Amino acid sequence: MKKHNFYAGPSILSQYTVQNTADAILDFAGTGLSLMEVSHRSKEFVAVCDESRSLVKELLDVPSTHEVIFLGGGASMQFCMVPYNLLKKKASYMDTGTWASKAIKEAKLFGEVDVVASSKEKNYSFIPKNYTVPDDSDYFHITTNNTIYGTQIHHIPEVNVPLVADMSSDIFSRPVDVSLYDAIYAGAQKNLAPAGVTIVIVRKDALNKVDRPIPTMLNYMTHVEKESMFNTPPVVPVFAALQTLKWYKEQGGILAMQRKNEEKAAVLYDEIDRNRLFKGTAEKEDRSLMNVCFVMNDEYKELESGFASFAAAAGMIGIKGHRSVGGFRASIYNAMPVESVSALVQTMQEFEKQH
Ligand SMILES: *Cc1c(COP(=O)(O)O)cnc(C)c1O
């Protein structure tokens, strides 16, 4: 039976990425060696790394003021690297969920942190709208897509300070005006590659402005100057990232991905709103196009485990909701075909008929 992969992360990758990476693991670029056993300084791998960085720039229209780097440590490492490198005195943060609050916790180690808005009191089911960001903040940190709660910022805040964003779960899903950001970061395992590489886009002239000493490996400048080759980069994930980036380009680029994502999300949310058994958990206007969270309607609560088994039997993988929201979460990242979303919708309809 066909499996439909709705895992939140690590998550579905394009077949193009999986196949080409599998091939390169056996024979990388005609070298007769596995991708896992070639020097990161070989000309073949240096070419992969360079092409990945330049494709990120091309797809996201990254201006020449910014540089793209590939780091280890996951998005979670960026929670401390961002303030280490960019927080001089005070930074503002928006608290929209678990990941945002982890970023806030780390920032407090480096200076004054102003949490200008939070949706915590409603279990992070919406994106705060009315708040002010002090003009003397070094930056304003946002989490553009809240993977766990299924909310997404659809209108990037207009503020007088540079933005910093955790885009782990929606990078490459829609166009970005990179010029507004001092830093953008994303763990690869949701929309790009297997876990192990984190993509960071930094504004070069925002670096080297803090007084504190920064350990070499945690200093963005080290990696900018060495073009992500200061130490051994995660070779296999970087190779896989290049395949995904090529696939995005071949699919028509980021605008084409956005159109496809809007279409997929509409199919699923329409069913959630129509089907009497289910309801969405996020405020409609803030619904994520990447992670769709839903629960049983109040009068059908006892059907939850029944639907979980019914969906599993129909080949739906990874739709169990995160424990902090409960119910179900279908992650429908870029690589998810609309056919899988339709299969889930059909499963929901069949379950409704039985009850
Ligand atoms: C998954 C995720 C993270 C954590 O990523 P790691 O690479 O596991 O550290 C951080 N932020 C967001 C928005 C995420 O979705």
Side-chain angles (χ1 to χ4, degrees):
M1 181 188 30
K2 173 148 176 55
K3 302 284 188 190
H4 301 282
N5 181 358
F6 292 96
Y7 275 129
S11 44
I12 189 167
L13 292 168
S14 74
Q15 201 45 44
Y16 180 87
T17 303
V18 173
Q19 188 63 56
N20 287 355
T21 307
D23 291 348
I25 285 195
L26 297 176
D27 180 3
F28 169 50
T31 56
L33 302 175
S34 167
L35 174 62
M36 297 188 292
E37 52 186 15
V38 293
S39 168
H40 62 295
R41 310 230 178 252
S42 65
K43 69 174 185 334
E44 291 85 359
F45 184 74
V46 171
V48 166
C49 197
D50 289 348
E51 192 181 356
S52 301
R53 287 168 43 245
S54 67
L55 259 184
V56 171
K57 290 181 187 169
E58 182 183 330
L59 288 166
L60 292 182
D61 229 337
V62 176
S64 61
T65 45
H66 288 62
E67 194 48 85
V68 174
I69 51 183
F70 295 128
L71 305 177
S76 301
M77 180 72 98
Q78 298 310 309
F79 297 160
C80 77
M81 276 181 81
V82 162
Y84 225 140
N85 285 268
L86 301 175
L87 200 168
K88 285 166 270 185
K89 189 163 177 294
K90 178 168 102 174
S92 293
Y93 277 68
M94 178 145 74
D95 174 23
T96 50
T98 307
W99 300 117
S101 40
K102 288 186 174 178
I104 290 166
K105 174 169 179 255
E106 297 305 302
K108 286 179 176 165
L109 299 171
F110 299 92
E112 201 185 315
V113 174
D114 195 353
V115 179
V116 298
S118 171
S119 47
K120 190 171 183 184
E121 88 272 11
K122 285 196 174 164
N123 200 30
Y124 296 120
S125 57
F126 69 101
I127 300 290
K129 307 284 170 354
N130 296 312
Y131 53 83
T132 38
V133 174
D135 285 354
D136 62 346
S137 296
D138 295 321
Y139 59 84
F140 177 38
H141 182 285
I142 55 177
T143 310
T144 50
N145 185 71
N146 298 282
T147 325
I148 293 176
Y149 302 90
T151 62
Q152 188 173 23
I153 298 179
H154 294 298
H155 304 284
I156 298 302
E158 286 171 35
V159 293
N160 295 326
V161 303
L163 294 169
V164 169
D166 177 356
M167 295 194 185
S168 291
S169 50
D170 68 352
I171 193 161
F172 303 119
S173 72
R174 58 179 177 181
V176 188
D177 180 357
V178 175
S179 70
L180 301 174
Y181 297 82
D182 271 3
I184 292 171
Y185 60 93
Q189 68 273 25
K190 282 125 188 176
N191 243 348
L192 189 63
V197 64
T198 303
I199 173 169
V200 181
I201 306 173
V202 283
R203 182 196 298 275
K204 288 174 280 185
D205 70 8
L207 303 179
N208 286 347
K209 297 279 163 67
V210 295
D211 292 331
R212 71 180 70 85
I214 306 175
T216 311
M217 269 299 282
L218 298 182
N219 193 329
Y220 288 133
M221 201 46 127
T222 304
H223 304 282
V224 167
E225 283 174 347
K226 297 289 182 188
E227 303 187 326
S228 296
M229 286 281 191
F230 172 73
N231 70 325
T232 320
V235 171
V236 174
V238 169
F239 179 89
L242 175 59
Q243 308 315 307
T244 304
L245 295 164
K246 285 182 174 171
W247 184 73
Y248 288 162
K249 186 170 171 177
E250 183 204 290
Q251 297 283 302
I254 301 309
L255 265 174
M257 295 320 303
Q258 181 184 35
R259 275 196 296 275
K260 193 174 144 203
N261 290 327
E262 284 168 353
E263 180 197 337
K264 286 183 294 183
V267 168
L268 188 48
Y269 283 120
D270 284 352
E271 177 60 16
I272 290 168
D273 293 341
R274 186 209 60 78
N275 192 313
R276 74 197 145 82
L277 303 185
F278 302 101
K279 66 175 179 194
T281 58
E283 277 298 322
K284 283 192 180 166
E285 62 177 5
D286 302 322
R287 282 172 162 178
S288 167
L289 301 192
M290 298 279 102
N291 312 96
V292 178
C293 294
F294 56 103
V295 294
M296 305 308 302
N297 241 326
D298 295 339
E299 56 274 46
Y300 298 105
K301 277 267 174 279
E302 78 287 358
L303 291 178
E304 183 171 313
S305 64
F307 180 68
S309 344
F310 185 78
M316 308 297 142
I317 311 285
I319 60 164
K320 188 175 165 34
H322 189 275
R323 62 188 177 281
S324 35
V325 181
F328 302 95
R329 170 177 54 175
S331 298
I332 53 174
Y333 296 116
N334 284 358
M336 165 74 58
V338 68
E339 293 73 30
S340 288
V341 177
S342 304
L344 175 58
V345 163
Q346 201 189 333
T347 305
M348 294 163 77
Q349 292 173 349
E350 282 165 15
F351 193 71
E352 183 191 29
K353 281 196 204 105
Q354 294 182 5
H355 296 275

